[in-house]
Amino acid sequence: GGVSGAPPPPGPPPPPGSGGPPPPRPPPGGHHHQQRPAAVPPAPAAAASPFHAPPPPAPAAPVGGPPVAQMGAMSLGAPPPPGPPGSGGPPPPLPPGPPAAHAATPFQTFTPQQPPSGGMGGPPPPPGQPHVMQPPPPGAGAPPPPGPPGGVPAPPAHAGSGFYGQQPPAPQQMQRGPAPPGPGGMQMQQPGMQQPGMQQPGMQQPGMQQPGMMGAPGMQQQPGMQPGIQQQQGGAIFEERIDYSIKVPDRFLRLTTDCIPSSASLAASSKIPMGAVIRPLAPPGPNDEEVDVVQPGAAGIIRCKRCRTYINPFITWLENGRRWRCNICAQLNECPSAYFCHLDEDGQRRDKMQRPELHKGVVEFVAPAEYMVRPPQPPSYFFVIDVSVTAVRSGMLKSVASAIKASLDDLPGETRTHIGFITFDNSVHYYSLKPGLSRPQMMVVGDLKELFVPAPDDLLVNLRDSRDIVEDFLDNLPEMFAKNQCPMSCLGPALKAAFTVTKHVGGKMSVFQSVLPTLGDGALKPRENPRVMGTPDEVKLLRLDTKWYKDTAIEFSRAQICVDMYFFPFQYIDIASASELARYTAGTVRTYVAFNPAVDGPKFESELKKNLTMDTAFEAVCRVRCSRGMRISNFYGNFFIRGTDLLALPNVSSDSVYTIDIVHDEQSVSSTAVTLQAALLYTSKDGERKIRVMTQALRTTSLTSDLVKSIDQDAMCNVLAKQALSVAIKTNLDNARGRLQQICVDIIRSAKNGDKRTVSGYAMPPQQGQQADDDAKEKPIPDNLKLLPLYTLSMMKNVGLRGGTDVHPDERVQAHQLLSNMSVEQSLRYVYPQLFAIHDMDSTAGLPADANSGKAKTAGRNNILLPKVANLSVERLTSNGIFLLDNGVDMYLWVGRSSDPAVTSALFGISSLENVDMSQVRLITKGNDVASRLDAITHALREDDGEVIIIEPKVIIVREGDAAMEARFFWHLVEDRASFSGGTFSYEEWMQFVQNPPRQGPPGGMGGPPGQGMRGPPGPPHPGQGMPPGPPGQQMRGPAPPGPPGPHGGMRGPPSGPPGPHGMPQQGMAPPPPGGMPPGPPGSGGYSHPPPPGRPMGAPMPPQGMAPPAGPPPLGRPMPPQGLAPPAGGPPPPGRPMPPQGMAPPAGPPRVPPPGPPMGAAAPPPPGRPMPPPPPGAGAPPPPPRY
């Protein structure tokens, strides 16, 4: 074909095998900050693997340049040297035919914004003076794309940042035409996946567009192109004509804002985080549409030749459909003849509504053969089971065998499914399940240093062929080790053995562990230290102790093996280290503390069955792209990042969630719209290779008010929670809570301040001194942000981030894992639970809704009516009531001392719970009206739309007065004060602080807790106005210090009864067989060890920067009077800790928190809970939410 433009002069050849200095490589892991690489190094040859495709034949080199080097699955070679000023990037490919037959279209190019510091050099042209390129003479071929401003040489055209890229030009060689055509005239795509730590030269990373690569968006008016040029701040803004009604359904993608700041300065001044929550395989609800499946034709899957963006509804069609402009990188692409269609009078393709990829936000392509490097592997399920004495006596082994057997009929893959087992204690046990055997054959390997795998071909077998022998093995597994007395565990060698068996096929591996692994590779030491609990050094217990598990997890990820971890701890088990296996292999972590088969068995078995039988994608990779000027800065979730932005996901389920942060990569965005595209390439359970593509367009704005109006507070809280967890692990928990507090204050301040006068994109100070800030404080919080302060307060008091000495390290790590992988709805329920009044629920509660139910709150597939919701405050609890609290993971049933004997008898079979062994109390689920309706409510709260398997609810019974159990229950009453730094706010005090923040808070941007002499929450009482004492005869009760684990899944305080053998509690857990549970290693600081010396949990924290009072601090918070409502006004009601004594009151009149709402008032909005008039400028806090 003809060549348009002169090629750049040849430069000095690069050293052999190198394309420039290697870019800094970020540490692999779940949280990464994407950085722009300085140059792209070549990579050594790699053997074919699930991530590496065999190399296609190298095309013949064009005249004037060396042939393209081929190695592995990648095209190697350095990018071309810079050309003369104004030469621009490589020209777009020309259609086949003589050059003269391709007439050029005159066009203008407009200079984009000045590149950020550290980018390409060269001064930009003066503002408002766009660089105009003259059209070439007729017959000279297509003009090259415009060069960057100031004569800066354009960077090499990016061959693609998708799963598979095209071959870039060889060193010192310009691309001189289209690549060799593939089937149907489409350019051939490289099969295989990008090699780890390797980037193709000339490939553009999503969101990392180099300046000056805008293609030709300013071409003459053509059908299908509606460009208008807006001048803003001296630069060119390309006005897109986009149908913003095309959206990705919320179940797949939730964004924190529906628009994007047009400049980095606006984003910095508004302080509004931008991010997205992606759930690519979310199941459809009853009223949701299924995802359209697109079968590519002769042209294959249409993608941008530069950035590898998939075709989507937001591209721009040019030249009557013969070309299209990419909405991510603005590259002009040729439309293959097999995909061509004429445009209508609106510039849209006439077949738009017949092609889902052109009018739907989510589509799924059936991937052709070049998207796979090996045939799809059969679904494989391998189980690694701990059979130590703890696992056997606790009943864990029996429950595991029962759950696996119940799942065999529903495992994905049908006749293709493979299965295998390994057990371990102080040795590794293999099981041959070869068809034709009368019973399984057990092979024991005791040498952990020289571990080998006997009969490897018989350890992973086809389930259909060996079904009888597999069931026989599961039936006899508990009896095989019933007399096992070994207390130790060799988890590391067992994992190595399992890897050897399954590495050729990949799949899902389920690991069940009950004790701390102390033998062989991966041995862990008991590093629990009660003295660091509640201090900044506590975070060290939340980090991995050895890199062995992380390194092993990366090897598992490369072999396409996903690891799900199930822990059953009775003592410290170091979940922080072992959970790295799940984190880097896209697995899950579940913990069942002090496992009791009667209490925990149903929930565990249903969760295991759901994880095994739910729709699962295998051998997946995911990449997120965004338009020029923006980039993805961080990823949150369980995965391993290959390179800079390719998420390696051995398994993806309908529960898998991934979260991203979006930031500006340039000072301004050169378009009126920003596009975000997420693509997931995976193998379905039926062995079909598919690509799910989700594309969302967002408008840009230069107004803070528009940005505030577009905030989705639910998605914002999900992103903020995951950012806080990352900060907590990197620094400490105090910094994480401080960051949440500061971001909440900043967002509310931005919402109240509104739009500000700007000069060159920077906000100018108000012209009337402080009057503007004072006026802003009087403004109400926007409706779409009214619940943001409440959710922020709840996140700071959540078990994952709360302070104090009463959260066990293993418990906190489990909370981190849960919250890091939750969807938007799940995270809101987890941080702000629901509290239902059961004792006075309506007669229709627990029954399906009918036409007369109106707008009553319902749950579940059958629309079960729910009881009225109460505020999360101790003021709502009454001694004659029964309350159900649900956080989406656990359920608590709080029973008052004076509850109705008839209701108590209907639920528990006894008229009162006083002086009763709570370990023997069970909740009745049928046989009477109250029990049946409560059972329907608990199951409805666990039903998810679209999910086949329902998680059995675990209801933890909490008796009033049981300090150990109530301590965990009170954690969830987030509207009350807590006893740690950053948690001493009540909801009313927190709202006053948010609406009237201090002008300059303590170091780190964190506002002080109540009691400090600063503007914000109320201080201590005025002299002579003490806190009211508790009701006469009421016991002062506060949360107990940490103790042994309880049956509710948390680490509870000391039991009311005497400890059992070896220090294990008798109450609330399954009593072990004679002989008791084996003791933990000395000094392990197990769950049953006493709390560290120091401040009681119920005591308030001293104010920041002040010495604690001389005397002992007051203990916990009192309960309200039994059966009585709290006082209607006056000082803070009972249930709040006393403020520190000995402090000087703040200047001015005393501030007293407003009284709480009346007893039993409904919490959710609307209607809101009644609140007295707030202090001037404070405003009333909004009511808690309805779900």
Side-chain angles (χ1 to χ4, degrees):
V3 179
S4 62
S18 68
R25 184 175 179 181
H31 309 300
H32 299 271
H33 182 76
Q34 191 175 359
Q35 300 178 353
R36 183 192 303 276
V40 182
S49 71
F51 293 99
H52 314 137
V63 178
V68 178
Q70 297 285 339
M71 184 174 294
M74 316 298 294
S75 299
L76 304 182
S87 62
L94 304 178
H102 183 72
T105 304
F107 65 96
Q108 290 181 326
T109 60
F110 291 83
T111 303
Q113 297 291 326
Q114 180 179 357
S117 59
M120 302 181 64
Q129 298 183 11
H131 173 68
V132 179
M133 178 177 289
Q134 298 296 331
V152 181
H158 211 296
S161 60
F163 306 121
Y164 312 96
Q166 286 182 298
Q167 301 171 10
Q172 308 180 31
Q173 174 186 344
M174 292 293 293
Q175 188 172 351
R176 301 175 183 269
M186 180 185 176
Q187 287 182 322
M188 292 295 293
Q189 302 178 14
Q190 289 279 9
M193 305 179 188
Q194 183 170 334
Q195 298 196 22
M198 181 173 175
Q199 182 177 332
Q200 298 189 26
M203 289 187 63
Q204 177 67 25
Q205 295 297 330
M208 300 178 66
Q209 177 75 23
Q210 298 284 350
M213 295 180 66
M214 282 300 296
M219 294 179 65
Q220 275 190 340
Q221 187 76 5
Q222 294 287 346
M225 186 173 185
Q226 315 292 335
I229 306 302
Q230 294 181 347
Q231 295 295 330
Q232 180 178 359
Q233 302 175 11
I237 298 296
F238 297 99
E239 185 176 3
E240 305 279 359
R241 181 173 180 178
I242 288 178
D243 184 2
Y244 291 102
S245 64
I246 301 176
K247 292 184 176 294
V248 178
D250 286 346
R251 72 179 192 269
F252 295 119
L253 178 67
R254 293 282 293 271
L255 292 146
T256 58
T257 58
D258 288 338
C259 59
I260 298 294
S262 58
S263 65
S265 58
L266 177 61
S269 62
S270 65
K271 301 184 185 300
I272 297 176
M274 293 175 291
V277 183
I278 305 171
R279 190 180 179 186
L281 297 183
N287 302 321
D288 294 332
E289 296 181 357
E290 294 286 346
V291 177
D292 292 278
V293 179
V294 178
Q295 183 71 47
I301 299 178
I302 309 301
R303 300 177 66 181
C304 176
K305 65 183 179 183
R306 172 186 289 169
C307 68
R308 309 304 294 149
T309 294
Y310 292 84
I311 194 167
N312 59 80
F314 309 112
I315 64 172
T316 302
W317 291 99
L318 312 173
E319 301 180 16
N320 198 28
R322 289 187 290 271
R323 280 186 169 193
W324 59 276
R325 181 165 64 87
C326 176
N327 54 319
I328 297 290
C329 69
Q331 171 70 28
L332 293 179
N333 297 272
E334 301 294 329
C335 178
S337 58
Y339 197 77
F340 174 80
C341 179
H342 289 282
L343 307 183
D344 59 16
E345 60 277 3
D346 295 327
Q348 302 295 322
R349 284 174 58 113
R350 297 184 183 276
D351 63 346
K352 175 180 178 179
M353 302 311 296
Q354 285 74 45
R355 292 188 178 274
E357 69 272 20
L358 298 181
H359 72 274
K360 292 289 186 70
V362 181
V363 294
E364 197 162 67
F365 294 97
V366 177
E370 57 261 29
Y371 283 81
M372 61 186 74
V373 296
R374 65 176 182 180
Q377 300 299 304
S380 172
Y381 295 85
F382 203 82
F383 301 92
V384 182
I385 307 172
D386 176 17
V387 293
S388 64
V389 61
T390 304
V392 175
R393 293 183 179 178
S394 66
M396 179 271 280
L397 185 59
K398 185 176 181 180
S399 293
V400 169
S402 175
I404 296 175
K405 183 178 179 181
S407 306
L408 294 179
D409 290 331
D410 300 320
L411 290 179
E414 299 179 353
T415 59
R416 303 167 57 245
T417 306
H418 283 62
I419 195 170
F421 301 87
I422 280 181
T423 60
F424 64 96
D425 43 20
N426 60 353
S427 57
V428 180
H429 318 133
Y430 302 88
Y431 298 91
S432 174
L433 306 174
K434 185 171 58 174
L437 295 176
S438 58
R439 58 183 309 167
Q441 293 181 353
M442 177 178 175
M443 297 163 283
V444 180
V445 177
D447 189 351
L448 303 181
K449 293 183 179 180
E450 300 294 336
L451 193 68
F452 69 97
V453 179
D457 297 335
D458 301 334
L459 303 179
L460 187 66
V461 296
N462 184 278
L463 176 60
R464 181 181 182 183
D465 298 338
S466 304
R467 178 64 180 267
D468 294 338
I469 195 170
V470 168
E471 290 186 353
D472 180 66
F473 167 75
L474 294 173
D475 290 337
N476 292 286
L477 180 60
E479 297 298 328
M480 293 168 59
F481 297 95
K483 298 182 180 180
N484 188 14
Q485 299 295 323
C486 179
M488 294 179 290
S489 165
C490 61
L491 176 61
L495 290 171
K496 291 175 60 177
F499 175 78
T500 304
V501 176
T502 60
K503 64 182 179 181
H504 68 284
V505 67
K508 181 184 286 290
M509 183 181 298
S510 301
V511 180
F512 306 89
Q513 180 74 16
S514 63
V515 295
L516 186 74
T518 56
L519 300 176
D521 293 333
L524 299 173
K525 60 180 181 295
R527 57 189 178 114
E528 182 187 20
N529 184 5
R531 296 182 180 275
V532 303
M533 303 297 292
T535 70
D537 290 336
E538 179 183 359
V539 71
K540 296 179 181 179
L541 301 178
L542 309 181
R543 301 169 181 162
L544 70 165
D545 186 41
T546 173
K547 292 185 178 181
W548 186 90
Y549 287 95
K550 178 179 178 180
D551 296 340
T552 302
I554 294 174
E555 292 300 321
F556 276 58
S557 176
R558 289 172 177 165
Q560 302 289 357
I561 301 172
C562 169
V563 181
D564 290 334
M565 304 290 294
Y566 300 87
F567 295 100
F568 305 82
F570 285 83
Q571 291 181 336
Y572 178 70
I573 200 172
D574 199 356
I575 298 178
S577 296
S579 62
E580 295 292 284
L581 283 168
R583 178 184 175 190
Y584 289 102
T585 61
T588 58
V589 176
R590 293 289 185 271
T591 304
Y592 308 89
V593 179
F595 182 77
N596 184 342
V599 178
D600 303 282
K603 178 185 177 182
F604 159 68
E605 293 183 20
S606 60
E607 286 186 338
L608 177 58
K609 183 176 181 180
K610 178 182 178 180
N611 285 351
L612 294 177
T613 60
M614 66 195 312
D615 286 341
T616 303
F618 301 90
E619 297 184 305
V621 287
C622 180
R623 175 165 275 142
V624 184
R625 303 173 176 86
C626 58
S627 295
R628 178 198 176 189
M630 309 297 296
R631 64 182 174 90
I632 311 301
S633 62
N634 289 291
F635 299 86
Y636 306 97
N638 286 356
F639 47 77
F640 175 65
I641 290 189
R642 296 190 179 277
T644 58
D645 61 349
L646 183 67
L647 307 187
L649 308 167
N651 281 184
V652 180
S653 70
S654 57
D655 286 343
S656 299
V657 178
Y658 313 102
T659 306
I660 60 175
D661 288 337
I662 307 173
V663 298
H664 282 75
D665 194 35
E666 298 178 2
Q667 177 56 40
S668 62
V669 179
S670 302
S671 175
T672 58
V674 169
T675 306
L676 187 74
Q677 185 179 87
L680 178 76
L681 171 65
Y682 69 95
T683 300
S684 69
K685 63 180 181 180
D686 300 322
E688 193 173 23
R689 199 74 170 154
K690 294 183 178 180
I691 308 171
R692 178 162 295 190
V693 179
M694 296 162 282
T695 312
Q696 181 72 64
L698 306 172
R699 60 171 55 89
T700 60
T701 180
S702 58
L703 300 177
T704 303
S705 58
D706 290 345
L707 191 61
V708 170
K709 292 177 183 178
S710 70
I711 292 177
D712 181 347
Q713 64 181 355
D714 296 349
M716 178 71 72
C717 292
N718 184 281
V719 173
L720 292 180
K722 295 172 182 179
Q723 290 176 349
L725 294 180
S726 178
V727 172
I729 297 299
K730 294 177 181 178
T731 58
N732 56 62
L733 297 171
D734 287 338
N735 289 345
R737 294 192 298 268
R739 186 179 188 277
L740 283 175
Q741 177 172 308
Q742 189 64 45
I743 289 179
C744 179
V745 171
D746 290 340
I747 293 176
I748 298 301
R749 181 187 290 117
S750 296
K752 289 187 172 186
N753 289 340
D755 300 322
K756 293 185 177 181
R757 187 171 63 94
T758 61
V759 174
S760 299
Y762 293 93
M764 300 299 293
Q767 297 179 350
Q768 299 180 354
Q770 192 59 34
Q771 184 65 30
D773 289 342
D774 295 338
D775 293 342
K777 291 180 180 178
E778 301 294 337
K779 295 181 181 179
I781 298 178
D783 291 340
N784 64 321
L785 294 178
K786 282 187 175 179
L787 295 178
L788 179 63
L790 177 62
Y791 289 151
T792 304
L793 180 66
S794 304
M795 287 186 282
M796 292 191 295
K797 296 182 179 181
N798 182 265
V799 63
L801 295 173
R802 66 182 292 117
T805 62
D806 54 344
V807 183
H808 195 277
D810 285 346
E811 184 178 14
R812 198 185 294 276
V813 173
Q814 171 64 83
H816 285 196
Q817 276 289 328
L818 289 175
L819 194 53
S820 296
N821 295 278
M822 281 184 171
S823 63
V824 174
E825 296 79 7
Q826 293 169 340
S827 62
L828 290 183
R829 180 74 55 83
Y830 187 60
V831 301
Y832 191 84
Q834 298 180 96
L835 183 65
F836 303 99
I838 302 299
H839 58 284
D840 60 350
M841 61 182 178
D842 297 334
S843 59
T844 58
L847 302 177
D850 53 22
N852 300 324
S853 300
K855 297 183 179 180
K857 182 176 175 59
T858 62
R861 303 170 188 169
N862 298 324
N863 295 323
I864 300 297
L865 291 169
L866 298 178
K868 60 183 179 181
V869 182
N871 294 82
L872 293 179
S873 173
V874 72
E875 301 166 8
R876 294 291 174 261
L877 304 180
T878 58
S879 292
N880 62 352
I882 299 177
F883 295 85
L884 176 69
L885 186 143
D886 173 36
N887 68 353
V889 177
D890 291 318
M891 291 184 179
Y892 296 83
L893 190 64
W894 187 88
V895 183
R897 287 193 180 98
S898 305
S899 58
D900 187 351
V903 178
T904 306
S905 178
L907 294 178
F908 308 107
I910 52 179
S911 59
S912 176
L913 298 183
E914 293 297 319
N915 301 319
V916 174
D917 183 6
M918 295 301 296
S919 64
Q920 305 300 321
V921 176
R922 297 290 182 269
L923 182 65
I924 298 175
T925 59
K926 57 184 179 180
N928 59 78
D929 178 67
V930 176
S932 299
R933 289 194 290 146
L934 179 59
D935 183 66
I937 292 171
T938 57
H939 280 81
L941 292 171
R942 285 293 175 269
E943 289 182 359
D944 292 330
D945 292 338
E947 295 289 355
V948 178
I949 304 298
I950 300 175
I951 301 299
E952 287 293 328
K954 174 188 174 182
V955 181
I956 303 160
I957 304 171
V958 181
R959 177 181 57 193
E960 183 184 9
D962 187 345
M965 299 296 293
E966 280 190 327
R968 304 283 160 178
F969 178 77
F970 287 154
W971 280 0
H972 304 283
L973 303 184
V974 296
E975 296 184 37
D976 294 327
R977 290 181 176 179
S979 58
F980 56 87
S981 175
T984 52
F985 296 102
S986 67
Y987 181 35
E988 294 84 0
E989 296 164 350
W990 171 245
M991 286 302 303
Q992 294 181 26
F993 176 77
V994 169
Q995 301 211 50
N996 297 277
R999 300 192 187 280
Q1000 186 172 2
M1006 181 174 177
Q1012 287 189 245
M1014 57 187 298
R1015 297 186 62 182
H1022 194 272
Q1025 179 188 355
M1027 298 293 289
Q1034 181 177 352
Q1035 178 185 1
M1036 294 290 291
R1037 296 185 289 112
H1048 52 285
M1051 323 302 179
R1052 60 180 175 83
S1056 56
H1062 303 286
M1064 297 304 297
Q1066 292 180 346
Q1067 174 181 341
M1069 55 178 294
M1077 300 299 300
S1084 63
Y1087 293 4
S1088 57
H1089 282 237
R1095 171 178 52 85
M1097 176 185 163
M1101 289 289 295
Q1104 297 182 6
M1106 298 187 61
L1115 297 175
R1117 50 172 176 248
M1119 291 290 293
Q1122 300 181 9
L1124 298 177
R1136 308 275 167 75
M1138 295 284 291
Q1141 302 296 323
M1143 290 179 55
R1151 289 189 175 93
V1152 179
M1159 181 69 65
R1169 64 180 185 183
M1171 296 295 297
R1186 273 188 187 273
Y1187 288 93

